[in-house]
Amino acid sequence: RQGRAEVTADGSVTNRAAPPRHRIRLQPLDAQVVVITGASSGIGRATALRAAARGARLVLAARDRLGLE
């Protein structure tokens, strides 16, 4: 049985079914490079715009270059 992943108040990610030693501490978004596929439309575009607004460096992939401009 798999548990759900949760983000805790301190920014770490934990799986409720996993022992506490499996917590992962995520870096702030402005310290990450984020790869987004489908970045020219829909959820991919919205994700790219939000990540960029929060300072992430982005690698974008899409079928249509026009949608990325």
Side-chain angles (χ1 to χ4, degrees), residues 1-19:
R1 180 180 155 199
Q2 293 180 348
R4 278 192 237 153
E6 294 180 347
V7 178
T8 63
D10 67 355
S12 62
V13 177
T14 186
N15 182 333
R16 288 193 315 188

Side-chain angles (χ1 to χ4, degrees), residues 14-69:
T14 186
N15 182 333
R16 288 193 315 188
R21 67 172 193 246
H22 291 292
R23 289 183 179 216
I24 300 169
R25 182 109 174 130
L26 297 177
Q27 295 294 320
L29 210 55
D30 63 358
Q32 296 187 47
V33 175
V34 180
V35 178
I36 301 172
T37 60
S40 63
S41 65
I43 293 171
R45 182 176 177 84
T47 302
L49 292 172
R50 290 190 95 181
R54 293 182 62 189
R57 289 170 287 162
L58 304 176
V59 176
L60 305 177
R63 288 181 281 167
D64 180 16
R65 182 180 178 147
L66 183 62
L68 294 175
E69 296 177 354

